[in-house]
């Protein structure tokens, strides 16, 4: 019996030593990094959750407006508030817009629309070389800015625009991007969308626009409050002629195929 007790004690010896080492290891003080980061772990956790929610929401909104027409935009809302009256706006589907209007808008604003995935790298490089004197926003970027965001030049808005543009390109067809663009663009003070603009300037529906009328509407897009399509200045006339020629060119060389089917 004594031998068995001795044997049992000798077997338990290593276990007790191991347990003491484990206890010492468990009782070791936390590392300096852990002590520093401990108060901020909740912040990291909630930041991660908020970023995840924002990503899911962005994807959901991008997918939604690929099928559902945006009811309004921040620009329409703010303009209506400034004018103290509802803006002039009527949504029309792509089938009720003259094909030449699509080509004119692309020729005026984004001739490589069918060739890029939301960002025109060549235009960005040219803008950088010009010292920022010229714009490089694609039609896709303008749609993202007008549908989801707000006007302005803040880095926050630009970052959000850069994140949302590839999503819109992924979920929407090129034709859908142009359809939304032409339906929310401002063509005169308080006049939004190509249907309202066609009636306002020429007394016709968007489907009945001629090549000259479409080119002049596209010519006023960069500065709708200072340019007129029905009473064009010499600059708008020249710009309209250039856009009309550009629309014919992209139709002939295939750069309009992505939205004309």
């Amino acid at each position: 019996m004594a031998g068995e007790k001795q044997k049992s004690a000798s077997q338990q010896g290593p276990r007790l030593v191991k347990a003491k080492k484990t206890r010492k290891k468990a009782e070791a003080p936390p590392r300096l990094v852990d002590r520093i980061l401990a108060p901020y772990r909740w912040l990291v956790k909630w930041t991660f959750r908020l970023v995840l929610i924002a990503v899911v929401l962005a994807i959901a909104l991008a997918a939604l407006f690929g099928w559902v027409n945006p009811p309004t935009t921040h620009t329409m809302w703010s303009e209506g508030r400034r004018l103290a009256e509802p803006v002039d706006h009527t949504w029309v589907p792509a089938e009720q817009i003259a094909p030449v209007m699509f080509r004119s808008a692309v020729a005026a604003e984004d001739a490589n629309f069918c060739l890029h995935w939301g960002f025109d790298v060549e235009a960005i490089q040219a803008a950088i070389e010009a010292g920022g004197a010229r714009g490089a926003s694609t039609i896709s970027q303008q749609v993202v800015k007008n549908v989801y965001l707000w006007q302005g030049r803040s880095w926050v808005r630009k970052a959000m625009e850069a994140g949302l543009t590839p999503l819109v390109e992924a979920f929407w067809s090129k034709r859908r991007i142009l359809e939304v663009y032409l339906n929310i663009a401002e063509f005169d003070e308080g006049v939004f969308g190509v249907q309202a603009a066609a009636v306002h300037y020429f007394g016709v529906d968007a489907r009945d626009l001629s090549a000259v009328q479409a080119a002049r509407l596209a010519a006023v897009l960069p500065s709708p409050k200072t340019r007129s399509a029905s009473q064009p200045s010499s600059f708008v006339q020249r710009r309209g002629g250039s856009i009309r020629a550009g629309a014919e060119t992209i139709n002939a060389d295939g750069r309009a195929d992505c939205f004309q089917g």
Side-chain angles (χ1 to χ4, degrees):
M1 289 290 290
E4 289 180 2
K5 287 182 180 179
Q6 224 172 9
K7 186 176 179 182
S8 176
S10 65
Q11 288 176 344
Q12 290 179 359
R15 294 179 185 173
L16 290 172
V17 173
K18 187 176 180 180
K20 287 180 180 179
K21 288 182 178 179
T22 304
R23 196 180 303 117
K24 285 182 180 179
K25 186 176 181 181
E27 293 172 354
R31 294 178 303 171
L32 178 61
V33 174
D34 293 333
R35 291 203 303 271
I36 295 174
L37 295 180
Y40 302 102
R41 282 180 181 171
W42 67 271
L43 180 61
V44 173
K45 180 174 67 176
W46 281 103
T47 300
F48 175 78
R49 289 179 179 177
L50 290 174
V51 170
L52 183 61
I53 291 172
V55 170
V56 172
L57 182 61
I59 293 174
L61 286 175
L64 175 66
F65 288 138
W67 301 96
V68 179
N69 298 331
T72 188
T73 67
H74 181 270
T75 304
M76 289 184 196
W77 174 82
S78 60
E79 188 68 1
R81 188 176 179 182
R82 185 184 69 83
L83 296 173
E85 61 182 17
V87 298
D88 186 5
H89 176 247
T90 302
W91 188 283
V92 287
E95 294 72 23
Q96 294 181 23
I97 301 174
V100 70
M101 186 68 237
F102 282 91
R103 295 193 296 271
S104 296
V106 171
E109 296 291 299
D110 188 1
N112 292 323
F113 178 67
C114 286
L115 306 180
H116 63 66
W117 47 274
F119 303 98
D120 191 337
V121 177
E122 292 182 2
I124 292 173
Q125 291 176 341
I128 293 173
E129 292 173 0
R134 55 184 293 181
S137 291
T138 62
I139 286 177
S140 302
Q141 288 175 271
Q142 293 180 53
V143 166
V144 166
K145 177 181 68 176
N146 288 322
V147 171
Y148 298 103
L149 306 174
W150 62 93
Q151 302 294 328
R153 296 180 177 274
S154 69
W155 287 107
V156 172
R157 187 196 63 74
K158 288 181 179 295
M160 294 175 69
E161 178 186 300
L164 285 167
T165 298
L167 289 177
V168 166
E169 282 277 344
F171 283 103
W172 301 14
S173 68
K174 288 287 190 177
R175 185 172 175 83
R176 175 60 175 172
I177 293 173
L178 273 177
E179 178 187 32
V180 174
Y181 175 71
L182 288 174
N183 271 289
I184 64 174
E186 185 177 15
F187 288 89
D188 196 359
E189 187 174 57
V191 178
F192 289 85
V194 65
Q195 173 64 19
V199 174
H200 172 73
Y201 281 120
F202 306 117
V204 301
D205 288 329
R207 68 172 68 194
D208 298 320
L209 288 166
S210 68
V212 172
Q213 291 169 337
R216 287 186 179 176
L217 284 178
V220 306
L221 282 172
S223 185
K225 290 183 173 66
T226 60
R227 300 178 187 179
S228 172
S230 58
Q231 298 178 345
S233 63
S234 57
F235 171 80
V236 171
Q237 289 182 18
R238 291 195 304 272
R239 178 63 178 153
S242 176
I243 291 171
R244 185 178 176 185
E248 294 174 355
T249 298
I250 65 171
N251 188 42
D253 65 17
R255 282 181 291 166
D257 291 350
C258 71
F259 57 85
Q260 294 193 131

